[in-house]
Amino acid sequence: MKNRIAIRAAGLLLPAVLAVAGCSGCGGGTDGGYREDKPSGVIVYARGADSKKLDPADITDGESVKVCTNLFETLVTFAESSADIVPLLAASWTASGDGLEWTFKLRPGVKFHDGSEFDSAAVEFCMKRLVDPGNPYRFKGAFSYSENYTGIAKVEAAGPLDVVFTLKEPSATFLPNLAMFPASMQSPQAVVKHGEKYFKNPCGTGPYRFVSWQENEKIVLEAFDGYWGRKAATARIIFKPVPDNSARRLELERGEVDIIDGINFSDIAALRKHEGVEVQVDPGMNFGYLALNTLKPPFDKVEVREAIALAVDKEKIRSLAFHGFGDLGPNPMPPTVFGYNSSIKDRIRDTAAAKALLRKAGVAEGFEVRLFAMPNPRPYMPQPRKVAQVLKENLKEVGIEAVIESPEWQLYLDQTMNGKHDLCLLGWTTDNGDPDNFLWQLLDSSNAKIGSAMNVSFYRNAEVDALFAAAKRSMDRVERKALYEKAQEIVFRDVPMIALAYFPQVVACRKGLTGYAQHPTGIVRLWNARIGG
């Protein structure tokens, strides 16, 4: 019998108590909000774009995650105001002394929104769907996040409420990855019933259940009466896409919506002065970046990539596009995450040196590039078109002509994952607060697969891959930090991407709204949010 280490909660963690602070007393308008005959007990959350899918195992974009976080639950989750791991659908768990076998005791009495039972068989179904590339219930989805779970050798139901995970090797990221949205528990009955249409018919165990989705108009959720924990504080949540930042701000000021994100930094001061609005600015775990497609000449040459890095004027981008907000730095992860290499000094802008490198690479005569810029704001880049305009000017100074393209958001993600870009603006908000979720996710060779790439630089470096693998295996925090710092040094030298800025999280809501707080990982938890009270 293996020596086991027990991990238990100090008490029953109910999701309704995970977010108890935040926009206390938000208002702005006396009509109660949403003008589509909005009943009481409705909160409208306005964001920059619609969701892509509502199948948590097969999504990558933040707009889909925002909705899924309120519909689905994982075995473990993040604490109220940190990335610490605490129980959720699993009430407790034990780990073998060698770290290879983990047994989870599931919470009893939990039901999916369709009335079916949540049990160990459901966990086995969901995890096998996530882990197995040949699983028939993947319905030809990309399942881009499945690479995070390849270290799982098998998942077995050991009893109605007991599940055993066997790992291929010890993993420091196993529990944090189980807390991420791809590992959400979904009703097997619903997956089988809806088949390829499941992504539009989501069914989880969360405090809200899915009601309807009118694409590019709204997604409606309502409180789930059969929820196992404390019931959601608001009867109905509406996620409404409003692509223009200024239009979204006006809707908040008029009381037509209750919460907005993707706020222009230039608008923060005015919003703070508005008597009906409250603004929350908190530390973030994100960064915006420019990815260089290393599959395409001349970006396969490090001299060209370094030349572009020397041409980029980060200070001008921060001044013009971010209105002075955001911190600058060289690394593909923010300094709020442990393992950030503070010894690396960023390049100083030098157009003459950039031109010399282009001559060395044999492209002194210049060339044209396709620069993809997101069509909608993101937490890591609230004004991507302005960023693209500054980059276009920067590149022109060294003889590179940039043609800016902004396909709609879903197409943007598809095209960048398929490597259609030369350069593209993107960013990352952590899923679990671990450096692995930035560095391995965005730069490991295993994530550079055409069609499902998270590594949209298509960067491949065996030495870096080995460092990431060693850091995953190590349970020693000091050792992990050293491995990630070494990897950042190599990445900085190879220039597959250029970090543009690290941003705070910003949200605004109307007075009268209570119980909503931003989480450090950026996940949107609306379980305790309510108008009044």
Side-chain angles (χ1 to χ4, degrees):
M1 187 71 175
K2 295 180 180 177
N3 182 35
R4 307 194 74 80
I5 304 167
I7 303 102
R8 293 185 180 275
L12 184 66
L13 175 72
L14 301 179
V17 301
L18 284 177
V20 295
C23 299
S24 56
C26 293
T30 59
D31 59 358
Y34 197 62
R35 296 183 187 278
E36 212 173 86
D37 296 323
K38 174 183 172 182
S40 63
V42 175
I43 287 176
V44 182
Y45 189 114
R47 71 261 183 75
D50 201 0
S51 299
K52 186 176 180 182
K53 293 182 177 182
L54 297 180
D55 178 350
D58 190 26
I59 57 177
T60 60
D61 65 298
E63 299 304 341
S64 296
V65 177
K66 285 174 187 173
V67 179
C68 286
T69 299
N70 294 279
L71 291 170
F72 296 94
E73 295 175 310
T74 45
L75 296 181
V76 297
T77 191
F78 304 113
E80 177 184 327
S81 57
S82 74
D84 294 344
I85 301 300
V86 294
L88 189 56
L89 289 177
S92 63
W93 57 91
T94 57
S96 61
D98 59 10
L100 295 180
E101 188 175 285
W102 294 71
T103 301
F104 292 81
K105 175 69 70 174
L106 305 183
R107 211 175 285 286
V110 177
K111 291 187 179 296
F112 289 105
H113 300 153
D114 60 4
S116 60
E117 297 286 338
F118 167 71
D119 55 17
S120 57
V123 177
E124 186 175 347
F125 177 93
C126 292
M127 294 308 301
K128 286 182 176 179
R129 181 175 183 248
L130 181 59
V131 171
D132 179 11
N135 189 283
Y137 299 108
R138 283 198 173 198
F139 311 124
K140 300 180 181 179
F143 282 67
S144 299
Y145 267 78
S146 63
E147 292 291 340
N148 290 276
Y149 304 94
T150 55
I152 298 173
K154 60 182 177 179
V155 183
E156 296 177 297
L161 295 176
D162 296 280
V163 183
V164 178
F165 286 71
T166 303
L167 307 186
K168 297 174 184 176
E169 58 188 12
S171 172
T173 61
F174 172 60
L175 283 178
N177 286 348
L178 277 189
M180 285 166 29
F181 62 86
S184 295
M185 295 296 107
Q186 306 161 65
S187 162
Q189 286 188 21
V191 173
V192 173
K193 175 182 176 181
H194 295 289
E196 293 185 3
K197 298 297 184 182
Y198 175 70
F199 77 94
K200 286 190 174 183
N201 295 276
C203 182
T205 64
Y208 286 98
R209 72 174 190 86
F210 175 74
V211 176
S212 63
W213 183 1
Q214 293 173 249
E215 290 189 28
N216 297 315
E217 290 188 24
K218 62 181 177 181
I219 292 174
V220 180
L221 315 182
E222 70 179 16
F224 175 42
D225 288 339
Y227 185 57
W228 62 269
R230 282 178 51 197
K231 302 300 186 284
T234 295
R236 184 162 284 209
I237 302 290
I238 296 173
F239 286 91
K240 178 182 178 183
V242 182
D244 182 75
N245 294 11
S246 296
R248 204 175 319 113
R249 170 192 166 183
L250 288 173
E251 291 200 20
L252 176 67
E253 291 176 332
R254 292 195 298 256
E256 296 173 5
V257 302
D258 304 304
I259 306 175
I260 65 169
D261 60 20
I263 298 165
N264 292 334
F265 287 128
S266 59
D267 290 340
I268 291 177
L271 280 168
R272 279 176 165 159
K273 293 177 182 177
H274 193 287
E275 64 178 11
V277 172
E278 286 194 355
V279 180
Q280 191 177 9
V281 180
D282 297 303
M285 290 182 171
N286 64 59
F287 83 115
Y289 64 89
L290 176 69
L292 293 77
N293 189 343
T294 62
L295 292 180
K296 291 186 175 183
F299 310 107
D300 55 343
K301 297 182 178 181
V302 69
E303 295 87 355
V304 174
R305 301 196 299 271
E306 185 167 5
I308 291 174
L310 287 167
V312 171
D313 190 338
K314 295 185 182 181
E315 287 287 358
K316 188 173 183 180
I317 290 172
R318 177 164 65 170
S319 173
L320 295 183
F322 307 143
H323 298 272
F325 280 83
D327 295 321
L328 304 181
N331 299 323
M333 58 184 277
T336 50
V337 174
F338 103 87
Y340 180 88
N341 192 331
S342 58
S343 68
I344 299 174
K345 303 305 177 186
D346 209 351
R347 296 174 177 86
I348 297 173
R349 188 169 191 259
D350 189 336
T351 56
K355 290 177 181 177
L357 283 168
L358 293 175
R359 285 196 296 272
K360 182 179 178 181
V363 289
E365 70 282 0
F367 52 93
E368 186 176 279
V369 300
R370 298 175 70 194
L371 169 59
F372 278 44
M374 290 97 75
N376 49 271
R378 306 299 306 138
Y380 45 73
M381 202 169 297
Q383 292 185 295
R385 289 286 298 189
K386 281 192 176 182
V387 176
Q389 288 296 334
V390 176
L391 288 172
K392 180 181 176 74
E393 295 168 8
N394 293 164
L395 295 174
K396 188 175 180 64
E397 288 183 56
V398 298
I400 301 173
E401 292 290 335
V403 177
I404 299 173
E405 300 185 22
S406 293
E408 60 88 20
W409 182 230
Q410 294 188 18
L411 182 59
Y412 189 94
L413 294 172
D414 289 339
Q415 292 193 344
T416 53
M417 285 182 179
N418 279 281
K420 301 299 184 183
H421 59 288
D422 296 325
L423 312 174
C424 75
L425 291 173
L426 270 173
W428 195 257
T429 299
T430 185
D431 296 306
N432 62 19
D434 193 274
D436 175 82
N437 188 241
F438 287 94
L439 300 175
W440 176 85
Q441 194 79 53
L442 301 179
L443 293 160
D444 194 85
S445 299
S446 64
N447 291 319
K449 298 172 182 174
I450 292 289
S452 62
M454 305 299 290
N455 172 358
V456 296
S457 299
F458 298 93
Y459 172 65
R460 292 176 172 85
N461 183 307
E463 183 181 3
V464 169
D465 292 348
L467 290 168
F468 293 160
K472 276 181 184 287
R473 289 192 300 270
S474 176
M475 304 303 285
D476 185 322
R477 189 177 177 91
V478 174
E479 181 182 27
R480 294 188 78 214
K481 183 175 186 293
L483 291 165
Y484 286 126
E485 287 178 342
K486 178 62 176 177
Q488 287 166 78
E489 291 171 4
I490 300 170
V491 169
F492 182 75
R493 178 198 70 199
D494 289 349
V495 209
M497 63 164 62
I498 300 165
L500 297 178
Y502 317 111
F503 292 101
Q505 298 185 91
V506 183
V507 71
C509 56
R510 70 187 187 91
K511 285 190 172 154
L513 187 140
T514 60
Y516 177 66
Q518 297 186 104
H519 193 269
T521 65
I523 57 178
V524 175
R525 290 168 163 168
L526 296 171
W527 310 321
N528 262 10
R530 68 165 63 241
I531 297 293

mmCIF file of all heavy atoms in Angstrom, residues 125 188 227 477 504:
data_model
loop_
_atom_site.group_PDB
_atom_site.id
_atom_site.type_symbol
_atom_site.label_atom_id
_atom_site.label_comp_id
_atom_site.label_asym_id
_atom_site.label_seq_id
_atom_site.Cartn_x
_atom_site.Cartn_y
_atom_site.Cartn_z
ATOM 1 N N PHE A 125 -15.853 10.070 -17.544
ATOM 2 C CA PHE A 125 -16.293 10.428 -18.902
ATOM 3 C C PHE A 125 -15.651 11.751 -19.338
ATOM 4 O O PHE A 125 -15.099 11.852 -20.437
ATOM 5 C CB PHE A 125 -17.811 10.538 -18.932
ATOM 6 C CG PHE A 125 -18.380 10.979 -20.256
ATOM 7 C CD1 PHE A 125 -18.772 10.053 -21.209
ATOM 8 C CD2 PHE A 125 -18.518 12.335 -20.559
ATOM 9 C CE1 PHE A 125 -19.299 10.458 -22.441
ATOM 10 C CE2 PHE A 125 -19.038 12.758 -21.774
ATOM 11 C CZ PHE A 125 -19.431 11.816 -22.720
ATOM 12 N N PRO A 188 -22.569 13.905 -18.991
ATOM 13 C CA PRO A 188 -22.379 12.954 -20.089
ATOM 14 C C PRO A 188 -23.642 12.784 -20.929
ATOM 15 O O PRO A 188 -23.568 12.656 -22.158
ATOM 16 C CB PRO A 188 -22.001 11.657 -19.361
ATOM 17 C CG PRO A 188 -21.386 12.119 -18.082
ATOM 18 C CD PRO A 188 -22.183 13.329 -17.698
ATOM 19 N N TYR A 227 -29.220 23.619 -7.470
ATOM 20 C CA TYR A 227 -27.803 23.748 -7.160
ATOM 21 C C TYR A 227 -27.482 23.202 -5.774
ATOM 22 O O TYR A 227 -28.231 23.430 -4.819
ATOM 23 C CB TYR A 227 -27.376 25.211 -7.253
ATOM 24 C CG TYR A 227 -25.890 25.410 -7.073
ATOM 25 C CD1 TYR A 227 -24.985 24.756 -7.894
ATOM 26 C CD2 TYR A 227 -25.404 26.221 -6.054
ATOM 27 C CE1 TYR A 227 -23.624 24.919 -7.725
ATOM 28 C CE2 TYR A 227 -24.041 26.393 -5.872
ATOM 29 C CZ TYR A 227 -23.157 25.734 -6.710
ATOM 30 O OH TYR A 227 -21.805 25.888 -6.534
ATOM 31 N N ARG A 477 9.839 24.464 -5.305
ATOM 32 C CA ARG A 477 9.540 25.793 -5.846
ATOM 33 C C ARG A 477 10.806 26.544 -6.257
ATOM 34 O O ARG A 477 10.819 27.228 -7.286
ATOM 35 C CB ARG A 477 8.758 26.599 -4.798
ATOM 36 C CG ARG A 477 8.201 27.928 -5.304
ATOM 37 C CD ARG A 477 7.383 28.590 -4.211
ATOM 38 N NE ARG A 477 6.870 29.903 -4.589
ATOM 39 C CZ ARG A 477 5.702 30.113 -5.159
ATOM 40 N NH1 ARG A 477 4.924 29.085 -5.449
ATOM 41 N NH2 ARG A 477 5.303 31.346 -5.440
ATOM 42 N N PRO A 504 -3.094 46.079 -15.313
ATOM 43 C CA PRO A 504 -4.018 45.839 -14.209
ATOM 44 C C PRO A 504 -5.347 45.352 -14.774
ATOM 45 O O PRO A 504 -5.615 45.492 -15.966
ATOM 46 C CB PRO A 504 -4.169 47.223 -13.573
ATOM 47 C CG PRO A 504 -3.963 48.168 -14.710
ATOM 48 C CD PRO A 504 -2.930 47.513 -15.595
#
